[in-house]
Structures are given as C-alpha cells and as structure tokens.
Amino acid sequence: MRIQIYYIYDHLFFDISLFSEDHDTKPINGDLLMQNNSTGYKELGLVNSSDLFAKAVKGGYAIPAYNFNNLEQLQAIIMACVETKSPVILQVSKGARNYANQTLLRNLARGAVEYAEELGTPVPIVLHLDHGDSFELCKDCIETGFSSVMIDGSHLSYDDNVALTRKVVEYAHQHDVTVEGELGVLAGIEDEVASETHTYTQPEEVEDFVTKTGVDSLAISIGTSHGAYKFKPGEDPKIRLDILKEIETRIPGFPIVLHGSSSVPQDLVKTINEHGGQLKDAIGIGEDQLREAAKSAVCKINIDSDGRLAMTAAVRKVLAEKPEEFDPRKYLGPARDSLKELYKHKIINVLGSDNKA
Ligand code: G3H
Ligand code: 13P
Ligand code: ZN
C-alpha cells in the first residue's frame, strides 16, 4: 500500500493506490539511502520541485525551466533569476550530458547555488533531468545529485508508459527526488523520435495515470512542440487551452508541465537572418497564450529554443560587425547578456514567477 499526499489549493488530498507487494515502497529518508559513492542533491544545496509547484499552482504562476549546456547559459539563467527573485529549474537533457559531461554539469549546478548567494539573493534551484528515456538514466541522475527527473514514456503504449514511470517514481521517491511523467505526444522531434502530428493528451486518462504512477507532475500535449518551427505559415498558432481546462477538472490542482513553449521572437529571427542565418518561417507559441496557461495549474514551462535564438543572434551580430574579433568572451559575453534579458522578460511578462523566490 502506498499513500501519497498532495496539497491542492488549501486542502489536503490523499491518494491511496494499491500496488503489488514487490512494487511497494516505504517512506525512507533519501539521504540515508544514498550509497557512499553517490551524491545527494541536498548536499549540493538544491531543492526538489514539491514546494515550488505547490506554491506556483496556488499562486497562479509557473516556474521557469531553462535548459543549460555550458557556463554562459548557466550564468545568464542565475543572473536573471537573482535579479527578478525567481525560483528556477535548471534542465539538463541527455544531449547536454553527452555534450558537456554530467560531472561538470552537476558541479556547475552546485556552483550556481553559491553564485546566487554571492549575487545577494539565494533562489531555490532545482536540477532536473529533461526527457529521461530510461530507468537507468534516471537512476544515474538521482545518484549523482539531480533533485528532479523526467521519465518520458510518452512514445510507449499507455500500459508500458505507466509501468516505466511507476518504476522510476518508486526509486526516485526513496531519495526524495520528484518525478515528471508525460502523457500525449508533441509534434516535432521529442527524444529523437519524430512525430508529424500532435497526439493530444486525453483528459480521460490523466487521473488513472497519476494515480497508478505516483508522479509529482504531468507534462501534457496541447499543441506546443519542440524547436523553432512550431506552426506553418498560414496556420492559426493556437494551443488547446480547452484541453488544459478539461485536464484540470479531472485532476484539480495537480501540477501540469508544458514542454515546447518557446515563442520564437521574430526580432531575433530577423537579426539572425540579417547576419548570415537562414531560419525560414520559424514560428512559436504566442506569449499571451503561455501567460494564460501559467495562471492555471501549469506550474512549469520549458523554454530552450528561444535562448538558442538569443545567443545565436548576438554571436552572429558581433562576428558580422567585427570580423577581426577572435576572443570568445567578446561574442559569448554579449550572447550571455542577451540571454539574461530574454529570461528576465519571460519571468516577469510570461511566467509571473518574479518575487516568488
Ligand atoms: O526538449 C529538448 C530540449 O530543448 C533539449 O534539447 O536534446 O537538443 O539538448 P537537446
Ligand atoms: P522549446 O524547444 O520550445 O524551447 O522547448 C523546450 C523543451 O520543451 C525542453 O524540454
Ligand atoms: Zn521538452
């Protein structure tokens, strides 16, 4: 037997799910369970997402989930969050781990905690695995200091998704690590799997999924998609807020996550194209729709592509205007500044997480 307790608005909600004996988990302090050679996230000064999500759902705002792969991205994220006093979820994808080395990334995240303090405002920082695609990857992250993981079984059959997600939850919760699951498939490329069309989340499945798996948050598919080409020219760039509403009525107050939430600012696309880039017909999600979603139970909004555009625009501009420049700090510095401004703008004008740290 397993009992989960969620805070839904001002009420306690008890979810009693029956599990077979070999799946039964016991509430054991995660720190005690950490093996000698593993690093718990609390040692790194990080937090899991539980309290942040409870407050975000209640307060009608969303926590920024920004991806990072290098030092400049991390600096920009922390500076933006400190200056706006926003909590933050630092996201690391499998690709980021392969690119930058997971040991370095984890220690950068540890440094970020101290860096925020040094800047004068310690903000709550979650270190989250983005789009985990196997139990082993999630386990490795949990053992090396991540405070939150996503297990993305959205491409599997419903039953296989439930089984895999539940397995990760059982392990993660022993370590006090929070877990995000996903139901529905986003169009575009997700986990190196390409899908032509959206498979929207079916509201009638969500209650069963969260009950059976015990996830702490649920990513849904309502028309967002990864990358810079979310809609074709002439299409109505709208997300299905009606499906979101229906999901909310099925699992009131349960933390919802939106992936693929870049807005693809057209001024950045223009700057890139004016300086040698070739981004044709790049279209994103309107910020007004994301602002609307953030007021609901959507409490985590994932933004990566907009940051890539901001950095690329700044780098292209410097190199085009100063072809004699070859010190990376001279183009990565402006890229970092531009990224910081973009992230501050999102926090204040889209997510509403400013002054919530
Ligand atoms: O959802 C995907 C994120 O934007 C991370 O992308 O797998 O290229 O690191 P990546
Ligand atoms: P974008 O590509 O829209 O920025 O989405 C990022 C994302 O969902 C990361 O998981
Ligand atoms: Zn995503």
Side-chain angles (χ1 to χ4, degrees):
M1 162 102 57
R2 170 172 172 72
I3 302 179
Q4 293 174 293
I5 305 172
Y6 309 127
Y7 282 96
I8 294 187
Y9 296 106
D10 288 328
H11 307 287
L12 276 178
F13 174 74
F14 293 87
D15 167 19
I16 302 176
S17 327
L18 285 175
F19 282 76
S20 65
E21 240 177 37
D22 57 338
H23 282 121
D24 203 2
T25 56
K26 297 180 177 57
I28 303 168
N29 183 328
D31 289 339
L32 296 177
L33 274 178
M34 283 291 169
Q35 290 160 8
N36 286 340
N37 61 352
S38 64
T39 308
Y41 66 86
K42 289 171 195 166
E43 288 169 38
L44 306 183
L46 302 162
V47 297
N48 70 22
S49 62
S50 292
D51 281 357
L52 302 190
F53 285 173
K55 285 183 192 153
V57 170
K58 198 170 172 188
Y61 61 91
I63 313 286
Y66 295 145
N67 292 68
F68 81 104
N69 303 260
N70 63 29
L71 177 67
E72 283 77 10
Q73 287 174 316
L74 185 62
Q75 288 175 311
I77 295 169
I78 298 303
M79 287 192 280
C81 292
V82 163
E83 287 178 26
T84 56
K85 297 190 173 62
S86 170
V88 67
I89 298 172
L90 297 175
Q91 297 205 130
V92 171
S93 69
K94 192 174 164 183
R97 275 171 56 108
N98 292 341
Y99 172 78
N101 179 280
Q102 56 93 14
T103 305
L104 285 175
L105 288 176
R106 161 162 51 93
N107 282 293
L108 280 177
R110 177 211 295 262
V113 174
E114 282 182 36
Y115 179 45
E117 281 165 14
E118 196 181 303
L119 290 176
T121 309
V123 295
I125 299 177
V126 175
L127 180 60
H128 176 76
L129 169 67
D130 192 24
H131 293 284
D133 60 358
S134 69
F135 173 77
E136 289 71 28
L137 176 58
C138 292
K139 182 171 181 280
D140 190 57
C141 287
I142 292 164
E143 286 175 355
T144 54
F146 281 62
S147 57
S148 176
V149 294
M150 174 190 193
I151 178 67
D152 183 352
S154 59
H155 299 284
L156 304 174
S157 70
Y158 180 80
D159 288 343
D160 288 350
N161 189 0
V162 167
L164 176 62
T165 305
R166 188 169 77 185
K167 188 174 172 188
V168 171
V169 168
E170 286 172 353
Y171 186 76
H173 282 182
Q174 291 174 21
H175 298 275
D176 212 7
V177 166
T178 39
V179 180
E180 173 185 328
E182 178 165 344
L183 257 187
V185 183
L186 274 62
I189 295 181
E190 198 175 25
D191 298 336
E192 293 158 11
V193 179
S195 171
E196 276 281 308
T197 50
H198 303 283
T199 305
Y200 296 122
T201 305
Q202 294 179 36
E204 53 277 20
E205 286 183 347
V206 295
E207 192 178 0
D208 185 65
F209 187 81
V210 303
T211 304
K212 282 188 177 153
T213 59
V215 282
D216 302 282
S217 60
L218 181 68
I220 59 168
S221 169
I222 55 168
T224 63
S225 58
H226 293 107
Y229 302 90
K230 301 183 193 298
F231 300 97
K232 299 203 171 62
E235 275 181 359
D236 189 12
K238 287 261 175 348
I239 53 174
R240 296 286 303 270
L241 293 171
D242 57 317
I243 299 181
L244 171 62
K245 231 182 215 137
E246 174 68 23
I247 289 170
E248 281 195 81
T249 61
R250 306 268 180 160
I251 45 172
F254 192 84
I256 301 295
V257 177
L258 283 191
H259 283 249
S261 299
S262 279
S263 297
V264 189
Q266 291 302 303
D267 56 328
L268 295 177
V269 174
K270 188 164 178 274
T271 303
I272 290 172
N273 289 340
E274 281 174 356
H275 295 89
Q278 289 184 9
L279 301 183
K280 199 173 167 328
D281 299 331
I283 303 172
I285 309 286
E287 290 189 339
D288 52 334
Q289 292 180 65
L290 295 168
R291 202 176 308 127
E292 212 43 50
K295 289 182 197 155
S296 72
V298 169
C299 62
K300 171 175 180 272
I301 293 191
N302 289 12
I303 297 169
D304 187 10
S305 296
D306 281 355
R308 296 178 182 194
L309 292 169
M311 289 193 91
T312 301
V315 169
R316 279 196 176 277
K317 193 162 186 295
V318 172
L319 293 181
E321 289 172 355
K322 298 180 187 162
E324 72 286 1
E325 197 55 75
F326 67 97
D327 178 346
R329 292 172 297 185
K330 296 288 166 38
Y331 49 86
L332 293 179
R336 181 182 62 195
D337 295 344
S338 170
L339 191 54
K340 181 180 95 171
E341 291 312 314
L342 175 99
Y343 285 153
K344 283 175 70 173
H345 163 75
K346 300 279 180 190
I347 287 168
I348 296 168
N349 301 304
V350 183
L351 310 175
S353 64
D354 49 315
N355 295 310
K356 305 294 193 305

